[in-house]
Amino acid sequence: MDRKQSYLKFLHLAQAVKDTQDFPVLDAVEERVLNIFAVAWHKGREITVLEAMKMLPDVSESTVFRRIKSLRQKGMVALSMDTKDRRTRYIRPTELANDYFGKLGNCMKKAQQV
């Protein structure tokens, strides 16, 4: 199977995961924010709310902040307080977010199978 077919198959499988009742519906900005966070988390980075608001230069900081709040309400991220500075909050993935990433990872594997 060529790369184009694999990618299209992945998109189809990923959409099927997103359409299930297992995960909340995410808008395009929420999905983009979550994906950027996932890359940082994978690298072992901790993300503060302030840093997160600056991670998408083409999206206003207030929009990113609203999406963080929305992702929190949907159970995809959690906030934790810094032990030294109570004003600093870190964004962490929840179990639901980790399940979401895992299901999308499975979609990638299936898309590459012939």
Side-chain angles (χ1 to χ4, degrees):
M1 182 180 319
D2 68 0
R3 289 183 212 177
K4 178 183 172 187
Q5 290 297 332
S6 293
Y7 181 68
L8 293 173
K9 186 175 177 183
F10 165 73
L11 290 177
H12 177 73
L13 292 167
Q15 190 60 50
V17 166
K18 294 172 189 177
D19 288 343
T20 66
Q21 301 283 328
D22 297 340
F23 303 105
V25 175
L26 304 177
D27 70 25
V29 177
E30 289 170 333
E31 192 168 346
R32 200 166 149 214
V33 166
L34 195 59
N35 287 337
I36 287 173
F37 292 171
V39 171
W41 291 326
H42 179 71
K43 292 178 180 178
R45 275 192 57 213
E46 290 190 309
I47 307 167
T48 66
V49 172
L50 192 59
E51 289 171 325
M53 291 169 54
K54 299 175 189 293
M55 291 176 90
L56 283 89
D58 60 324
V59 179
S60 76
E61 292 179 8
S62 61
T63 297
V64 174
F65 183 73
R66 284 192 307 272
R67 292 315 190 277
I68 293 168
K69 284 177 36 177
S70 175
L71 288 167
R72 186 175 176 213
Q73 290 171 344
K74 292 177 178 184
M76 298 297 278
V77 299
L79 300 180
S80 63
M81 211 177 314
D82 186 287
T83 56
K84 296 177 185 167
D85 184 352
R86 296 181 58 119
R87 296 171 295 175
T88 302
R89 304 229 189 269
Y90 293 100
I91 303 167
R92 307 217 189 279
T94 62
E95 195 60 39
L96 183 62
N98 288 328
D99 290 345
Y100 179 72
F101 298 142
K103 293 246 181 172
L104 290 178
N106 288 338
C107 290
M108 289 177 65
K109 285 182 185 178
K110 286 181 185 177
Q112 293 173 342
Q113 296 172 350
V114 178

